[in-house]
Amino acid sequence: MANYYDIDDILAEEELIPVVFQKAATGVGLLDPSSETNNIEQGAKVELPFWLANELNTRQAVVMSIPSCFNQMTRKEIQADPGSVDLRNRCQYFYELGCKIAPTAGDRTIGSFLLYAFKNRYKEVLSKAHTATLIASTKPLTLLTKEETRLCEAAQSSMTSFKKWRMGGSRFEIPSVLGKKRKPSE
């Protein structure tokens, strides 16, 4: 866990990851909703939160699969039109989860895919944030992940501050040090 007190980090690690059990496990049958017993058999496919799947993966009890939000269909959609893909419904913490999964996943292209998606969506997020009014910008915000939403809100805030400054805010502030006169030295 990267940041123990960060609620976004906690929620990112709660995303479900498909795993396949490599060993039979007793007393954990409630992890598999289709299990009628309190045991999980070897080869059972279950979805677990990332924090648990990662720990079991390091102990070689399970093999993690890549979540559906990083599948080939999502990659093709992002390559076709990055700004129109609804990543929030697929995974609210798309980039954070991708960065956590990349070292452990068998697919080595996740890192480059995350970079490509972020760079191309970032351009659109900034252009929409700087040109759209606050009322008109609510629709694009529904497509954005938590990270992108924070970036968009920061861009809108900076644009609002810039417009306020440009329209007559204080142009220059005189430092208090300049207002004081020096005493002549004798």
Side-chain angles (χ1 to χ4, degrees), residues 1-6 8-10 13 50 54 96 100:
M1 192 175 276
N3 192 350
Y4 186 78
Y5 294 107
D6 185 13
D8 289 323
D9 194 46
I10 294 168
E13 290 195 355
F50 173 76
N54 190 34
E96 286 184 39
K100 290 174 186 280

Side-chain angles (χ1 to χ4, degrees), residues 25-41:
T26 58
V28 291
L30 58 110
L31 294 176
D32 185 7
S34 65
S35 177
E36 295 177 3
T37 65
N38 203 17
N39 302 329
I40 293 182
E41 300 299 323

Side-chain angles (χ1 to χ4, degrees), residues 15-64:
E15 292 288 334
L16 297 177
I17 307 294
V19 298
V20 177
F21 274 83
Q22 298 299 306
K23 301 174 183 175
T26 58
V28 291
L30 58 110
L31 294 176
D32 185 7
S34 65
S35 177
E36 295 177 3
T37 65
N38 203 17
N39 302 329
I40 293 182
E41 300 299 323
Q42 181 179 359
K45 296 178 183 178
V46 182
E47 286 192 339
L48 299 175
F50 173 76
W51 62 269
L52 180 58
N54 190 34
E55 184 63 32
L56 291 175
N57 187 41
T58 57
R59 296 179 184 197
Q60 299 177 348
V62 299
V63 173
M64 290 182 4

Side-chain angles (χ1 to χ4, degrees), residues 14-184:
E14 282 295 319
E15 292 288 334
L16 297 177
I17 307 294
V19 298
V20 177
F21 274 83
Q22 298 299 306
K23 301 174 183 175
T26 58
V28 291
L30 58 110
L31 294 176
D32 185 7
S34 65
S35 177
E36 295 177 3
T37 65
N38 203 17
N39 302 329
I40 293 182
E41 300 299 323
Q42 181 179 359
K45 296 178 183 178
V46 182
E47 286 192 339
L48 299 175
F50 173 76
W51 62 269
L52 180 58
N54 190 34
E55 184 63 32
L56 291 175
N57 187 41
T58 57
R59 296 179 184 197
Q60 299 177 348
V62 299
V63 173
M64 290 182 4
S65 300
I66 297 172
S68 61
C69 61
F70 299 110
N71 64 14
Q72 291 301 323
M73 185 179 79
T74 303
R75 292 178 190 213
K76 287 179 182 177
E77 288 176 6
I78 287 178
Q79 288 173 349
D81 188 11
S84 65
V85 179
D86 186 4
L87 288 180
R88 177 175 274 185
N89 281 339
R90 295 176 190 195
C91 180
Q92 287 189 0
Y93 297 94
F94 182 77
Y95 299 108
E96 286 184 39
L97 182 64
C99 288
K100 290 174 186 280
I101 285 179
T104 60
D107 188 1
R108 299 286 182 215
T109 61
I110 289 179
S112 59
F113 166 64
L114 288 173
L115 181 64
Y116 175 83
F118 183 76
K119 284 186 349 186
N120 290 305
R121 287 176 63 91
Y122 183 68
K123 290 176 191 175
E124 293 194 29
V125 166
L126 282 184
S127 67
K128 288 177 183 176
H130 284 241
T131 57
T133 61
L134 189 60
I135 298 165
S137 66
T138 56
K139 171 64 175 144
L141 284 177
T142 61
L143 302 175
L144 304 178
T145 64
K146 293 286 187 180
E147 299 96 345
E148 293 169 338
T149 303
R150 274 189 248 118
L151 288 172
C152 186
E153 290 169 353
Q156 286 176 340
S157 172
S158 70
M159 194 63 183
T160 303
S161 298
F162 172 74
K163 287 179 181 177
K164 181 180 174 184
W165 171 82
R166 195 169 128 215
M167 299 309 262
S170 59
R171 298 261 182 214
F172 299 103
E173 293 182 14
I174 300 174
S176 61
V177 175
L178 294 179
K180 297 178 183 176
K181 293 187 178 182
R182 294 170 68 184
K183 294 181 181 179

